Amino acid sequence: MYKRFMPKEFVHTVFEITPEKLHALGIKGIITDLDNTLVEWDRADATPELAAWMEEMVQAGIKVLIVSNNKEPRVKHFAEPLNIPYIFQARKPLAKSFKRGLHVLGLPAEEVMMLGDQMLTDMLGANALHMHTILIKPVAQSDGFATKLNRKIERRVFNYLRKKGIETWREQ
Ligand SMILES: [Mg+2]
């Protein structure tokens, strides 16, 4: 039950993802969501810490691509100063959006990690292609309008996991 929505791992922030960890997993590329994964959904620019994290990945030979369902101005404004390629209005969880991402990276699904904060878009679509999925605790407590319904369904999955005794994010 709910297996399609389940990530392989739960992390609190992207900073738990290190080049060493990726090398150990045989991961050569990252497809990452933007809103509430890398920064708050209503923050326009990357933080210095995030820019440094991106740089660390690229220096380590890890390819990074942003795949967002958000509109072009938002995604472009965020990604361009970082020199990170991006796909906007991706329509996750459709398989097509993830396949496009893999094509841009030039890597097979098993060598790519998907980072995202939503089960119903980021995890569902990437799991279908057998990518290494990581669910990040949303950076902000609030969400854009389109995400609110997804969160309702997500809460049901989290309740189920709690009942099953499966550890997600520790209560804070
Ligand atoms: Mg998101």
Side-chain angles (χ1 to χ4, degrees), residues 2-172:
Y2 296 132
K3 207 169 160 233
R4 293 177 304 154
F5 303 122
M6 282 287 290
K8 292 221 168 63
E9 292 177 59
F10 295 86
V11 299
H12 287 81
T13 75
V14 290
F15 304 112
E16 289 174 46
I17 317 283
T18 62
E20 294 73 34
K21 179 187 170 85
L22 297 174
H23 289 318
L25 288 167
I27 299 290
K28 300 195 173 98
I30 297 173
I31 293 179
T32 179
D33 172 53
L34 170 52
D35 295 320
N36 269 353
T37 291
L38 296 179
V39 292
E40 294 88 343
W41 66 277
D42 53 356
R43 180 195 286 269
D45 299 293
T47 59
E49 293 79 16
L50 185 73
W53 180 85
M54 289 277 191
E55 182 63 25
E56 189 190 2
M57 291 299 150
V58 174
Q59 289 296 325
I62 308 287
K63 295 179 180 176
V64 182
L65 171 72
I66 293 172
V67 175
S68 171
N69 283 354
N70 213 331
K71 295 187 176 117
E72 181 173 16
R74 156 61 164 162
V75 186
K76 184 179 178 183
H77 176 93
F78 182 88
E80 271 192 350
L82 299 169
N83 277 320
I84 296 292
Y86 58 90
I87 294 174
F88 58 89
Q89 286 184 323
R91 302 181 71 203
K92 295 174 285 182
L94 294 187
K96 211 159 75 172
S97 62
F98 293 91
K99 284 181 185 161
R100 258 180 80 196
L102 295 174
H103 182 75
V104 170
L105 290 177
L107 292 170
E110 57 270 25
E111 291 179 3
V112 177
M113 176 177 278
M114 175 70 205
L115 304 181
D117 72 304
Q118 284 197 67
M119 287 179 163
L120 271 71
T121 55
D122 305 314
M123 300 299 108
L124 177 63
N127 278 338
L129 296 181
H130 305 290
M131 293 166 64
H132 189 93
T133 43
I134 298 215
L135 190 70
I136 291 177
K137 188 170 183 178
V139 177
Q141 290 298 308
S142 66
D143 286 296
F145 177 75
T147 303
K148 288 195 171 134
L149 177 66
N150 283 352
R151 293 292 186 211
K152 260 189 195 170
I153 301 168
E154 221 169 61
R155 268 196 290 278
R156 262 185 247 159
V157 182
F158 273 105
N159 284 336
Y160 171 81
L161 296 177
R162 207 167 297 128
K163 273 185 210 149
K164 287 272 172 190
I166 295 168
E167 191 174 338
T168 57
W169 297 298
R170 260 157 270 146
E171 301 300 322
Q172 293 182 331

